[in-house]
Amino acid sequence: TAEHYGLTVRTVAADMRDLSVFEGLSFDIVDQPYSINFVPDCRDVFGEVARLLRPGGRYRVVIANPLGMSVRQSDWNGDGYLIQGAYIDGARISYADQDWVYDRNTGGDIPKPVEYRQSLSRVINGLIECGFGIEHFAETVDLHPDTAAEPGSWDRYVAFVPPWFSILAR
């Protein structure tokens, strides 16, 4: 696509908590798909993004629903979804990926991911403390919630527990 439109794309491998490879005020837009939950404290990333955005720049970040991190699609007990574990900010969470993430029949074991709970207060206040103003907040809407779907299925699960939130900040 970049070649089609005559654009040059440069890729850089870096830790999102240390983006010193980039000069400050280098970007108009930073779009961060689901990844912030792989660092212990989202505020470290927010500070780096704030340093990189030009005045008026926009930042879109997708986070895990912090309560939803304690509920898996397989936790249906016949009446509802059971919450597993306390709601602790910064908690290290590791469990097998949901069934929809990859085909388990393709062979090979994939290690359990390690994620960290980012409470809503940590996320919202972290953005504010870094100088961001929140323009929009939404539960992820590209899902297919269906309360009549089979218990334990992804479509039923997302009808009860929105798994992600999307935040647009400037």
Side-chain angles (χ1 to χ4, degrees), residues 140-156:
T140 303
V141 294
D142 59 346
L143 306 172
H144 305 284
D146 181 358
T147 57
E150 183 174 338
S153 70
W154 178 249
D155 289 342
R156 183 173 181 111

mmCIF file of all heavy atoms in Angstrom, residues 140-156:
data_model
loop_
_atom_site.group_PDB
_atom_site.id
_atom_site.type_symbol
_atom_site.label_atom_id
_atom_site.label_comp_id
_atom_site.label_asym_id
_atom_site.label_seq_id
_atom_site.Cartn_x
_atom_site.Cartn_y
_atom_site.Cartn_z
ATOM 1 N N THR A 140 -15.095 -1.728 22.664
ATOM 2 C CA THR A 140 -14.849 -2.162 21.294
ATOM 3 C C THR A 140 -16.170 -2.570 20.662
ATOM 4 O O THR A 140 -16.946 -3.322 21.235
ATOM 5 C CB THR A 140 -13.847 -3.321 21.280
ATOM 6 O OG1 THR A 140 -12.664 -2.867 21.935
ATOM 7 C CG2 THR A 140 -13.511 -3.738 19.874
ATOM 8 N N VAL A 141 -16.446 -2.052 19.485
ATOM 9 C CA VAL A 141 -17.748 -2.268 18.859
ATOM 10 C C VAL A 141 -17.699 -3.207 17.665
ATOM 11 O O VAL A 141 -18.735 -3.526 17.096
ATOM 12 C CB VAL A 141 -18.375 -0.926 18.416
ATOM 13 C CG1 VAL A 141 -18.698 -0.066 19.617
ATOM 14 C CG2 VAL A 141 -17.460 -0.188 17.464
ATOM 15 N N ASP A 142 -16.528 -3.687 17.271
ATOM 16 C CA ASP A 142 -16.448 -4.562 16.107
ATOM 17 C C ASP A 142 -16.640 -6.031 16.491
ATOM 18 O O ASP A 142 -16.010 -6.917 15.955
ATOM 19 C CB ASP A 142 -15.127 -4.363 15.368
ATOM 20 C CG ASP A 142 -13.913 -4.653 16.248
ATOM 21 O OD1 ASP A 142 -14.072 -4.746 17.478
ATOM 22 O OD2 ASP A 142 -12.816 -4.802 15.677
ATOM 23 N N LEU A 143 -17.531 -6.259 17.425
ATOM 24 C CA LEU A 143 -17.816 -7.603 17.910
ATOM 25 C C LEU A 143 -19.221 -8.009 17.477
ATOM 26 O O LEU A 143 -19.950 -7.217 16.888
ATOM 27 C CB LEU A 143 -17.718 -7.620 19.443
ATOM 28 C CG LEU A 143 -16.398 -7.093 20.003
ATOM 29 C CD1 LEU A 143 -16.478 -6.967 21.506
ATOM 30 C CD2 LEU A 143 -15.253 -7.999 19.610
ATOM 31 N N HIS A 144 -19.591 -9.218 17.772
ATOM 32 C CA HIS A 144 -20.921 -9.714 17.413
ATOM 33 C C HIS A 144 -21.603 -10.291 18.650
ATOM 34 O O HIS A 144 -21.784 -11.494 18.757
ATOM 35 C CB HIS A 144 -20.807 -10.771 16.302
ATOM 36 C CG HIS A 144 -20.066 -10.260 15.113
ATOM 37 N ND1 HIS A 144 -20.620 -9.394 14.218
ATOM 38 C CD2 HIS A 144 -18.803 -10.475 14.697
ATOM 39 C CE1 HIS A 144 -19.742 -9.091 13.288
ATOM 40 N NE2 HIS A 144 -18.623 -9.729 13.552
ATOM 41 N N PRO A 145 -21.986 -9.424 19.598
ATOM 42 C CA PRO A 145 -22.595 -9.936 20.825
ATOM 43 C C PRO A 145 -23.932 -10.610 20.543
ATOM 44 O O PRO A 145 -24.735 -10.111 19.761
ATOM 45 C CB PRO A 145 -22.778 -8.691 21.692
ATOM 46 C CG PRO A 145 -22.720 -7.544 20.753
ATOM 47 C CD PRO A 145 -21.898 -7.979 19.578
ATOM 48 N N ASP A 146 -24.123 -11.757 21.160
ATOM 49 C CA ASP A 146 -25.343 -12.532 20.932
ATOM 50 C C ASP A 146 -25.683 -13.264 22.231
ATOM 51 O O ASP A 146 -25.065 -14.280 22.560
ATOM 52 C CB ASP A 146 -25.121 -13.522 19.790
ATOM 53 C CG ASP A 146 -26.346 -14.355 19.473
ATOM 54 O OD1 ASP A 146 -27.391 -14.209 20.156
ATOM 55 O OD2 ASP A 146 -26.261 -15.171 18.540
ATOM 56 N N THR A 147 -26.653 -12.754 22.977
ATOM 57 C CA THR A 147 -27.017 -13.376 24.256
ATOM 58 C C THR A 147 -27.619 -14.767 24.068
ATOM 59 O O THR A 147 -27.683 -15.536 25.021
ATOM 60 C CB THR A 147 -28.013 -12.497 25.038
ATOM 61 O OG1 THR A 147 -29.164 -12.275 24.229
ATOM 62 C CG2 THR A 147 -27.377 -11.173 25.430
ATOM 63 N N ALA A 148 -28.034 -15.094 22.852
ATOM 64 C CA ALA A 148 -28.596 -16.415 22.581
ATOM 65 C C ALA A 148 -27.542 -17.406 22.095
ATOM 66 O O ALA A 148 -27.835 -18.591 21.932
ATOM 67 C CB ALA A 148 -29.714 -16.305 21.547
ATOM 68 N N ALA A 149 -26.318 -16.941 21.883
ATOM 69 C CA ALA A 149 -25.251 -17.837 21.409
ATOM 70 C C ALA A 149 -24.939 -18.876 22.479
ATOM 71 O O ALA A 149 -25.274 -18.720 23.653
ATOM 72 C CB ALA A 149 -24.009 -17.032 21.060
ATOM 73 N N GLU A 150 -24.283 -19.922 22.062
ATOM 74 C CA GLU A 150 -23.959 -21.023 22.966
ATOM 75 C C GLU A 150 -23.068 -20.538 24.117
ATOM 76 O O GLU A 150 -22.082 -19.827 23.900
ATOM 77 C CB GLU A 150 -23.232 -22.128 22.205
ATOM 78 C CG GLU A 150 -22.927 -23.327 23.061
ATOM 79 C CD GLU A 150 -22.332 -24.469 22.264
ATOM 80 O OE1 GLU A 150 -22.514 -24.516 21.042
ATOM 81 O OE2 GLU A 150 -21.692 -25.313 22.907
ATOM 82 N N PRO A 151 -23.432 -20.889 25.377
ATOM 83 C CA PRO A 151 -22.588 -20.528 26.517
ATOM 84 C C PRO A 151 -21.158 -21.019 26.299
ATOM 85 O O PRO A 151 -20.930 -22.122 25.818
ATOM 86 C CB PRO A 151 -23.243 -21.245 27.696
ATOM 87 C CG PRO A 151 -24.679 -21.341 27.292
ATOM 88 C CD PRO A 151 -24.640 -21.598 25.798
ATOM 89 N N GLY A 152 -20.201 -20.165 26.619
ATOM 90 C CA GLY A 152 -18.800 -20.500 26.416
ATOM 91 C C GLY A 152 -18.274 -20.051 25.068
ATOM 92 O O GLY A 152 -17.088 -20.120 24.819
ATOM 93 N N SER A 153 -19.167 -19.573 24.194
ATOM 94 C CA SER A 153 -18.725 -19.095 22.883
ATOM 95 C C SER A 153 -18.280 -17.631 22.982
ATOM 96 O O SER A 153 -18.693 -16.899 23.880
ATOM 97 C CB SER A 153 -19.845 -19.233 21.852
ATOM 98 O OG SER A 153 -20.886 -18.305 22.114
ATOM 99 N N TRP A 154 -17.477 -17.214 22.024
ATOM 100 C CA TRP A 154 -17.001 -15.834 21.985
ATOM 101 C C TRP A 154 -18.157 -14.856 21.833
ATOM 102 O O TRP A 154 -18.207 -13.832 22.508
ATOM 103 C CB TRP A 154 -15.990 -15.679 20.851
ATOM 104 C CG TRP A 154 -15.473 -14.289 20.705
ATOM 105 C CD1 TRP A 154 -15.721 -13.425 19.693
ATOM 106 C CD2 TRP A 154 -14.624 -13.584 21.611
ATOM 107 N NE1 TRP A 154 -15.084 -12.235 19.900
ATOM 108 C CE2 TRP A 154 -14.390 -12.303 21.083
ATOM 109 C CE3 TRP A 154 -14.029 -13.906 22.822
ATOM 110 C CZ2 TRP A 154 -13.603 -11.353 21.702
ATOM 111 C CZ3 TRP A 154 -13.235 -12.955 23.449
ATOM 112 C CH2 TRP A 154 -13.031 -11.699 22.895
ATOM 113 N N ASP A 155 -19.114 -15.141 20.932
ATOM 114 C CA ASP A 155 -20.219 -14.216 20.690
ATOM 115 C C ASP A 155 -21.073 -14.004 21.935
ATOM 116 O O ASP A 155 -21.563 -12.903 22.179
ATOM 117 C CB ASP A 155 -21.080 -14.705 19.524
ATOM 118 C CG ASP A 155 -20.373 -14.565 18.183
ATOM 119 O OD1 ASP A 155 -19.383 -13.806 18.100
ATOM 120 O OD2 ASP A 155 -20.807 -15.215 17.214
ATOM 121 N N ARG A 156 -21.250 -15.038 22.738
ATOM 122 C CA ARG A 156 -22.009 -14.863 23.982
ATOM 123 C C ARG A 156 -21.189 -14.098 25.015
ATOM 124 O O ARG A 156 -21.688 -13.211 25.698
ATOM 125 C CB ARG A 156 -22.454 -16.210 24.536
ATOM 126 C CG ARG A 156 -23.313 -16.033 25.787
ATOM 127 C CD ARG A 156 -23.898 -17.336 26.231
ATOM 128 N NE ARG A 156 -24.717 -17.152 27.391
ATOM 129 C CZ ARG A 156 -26.036 -17.285 27.410
ATOM 130 N NH1 ARG A 156 -26.675 -17.588 26.303
ATOM 131 N NH2 ARG A 156 -26.694 -17.121 28.511
#
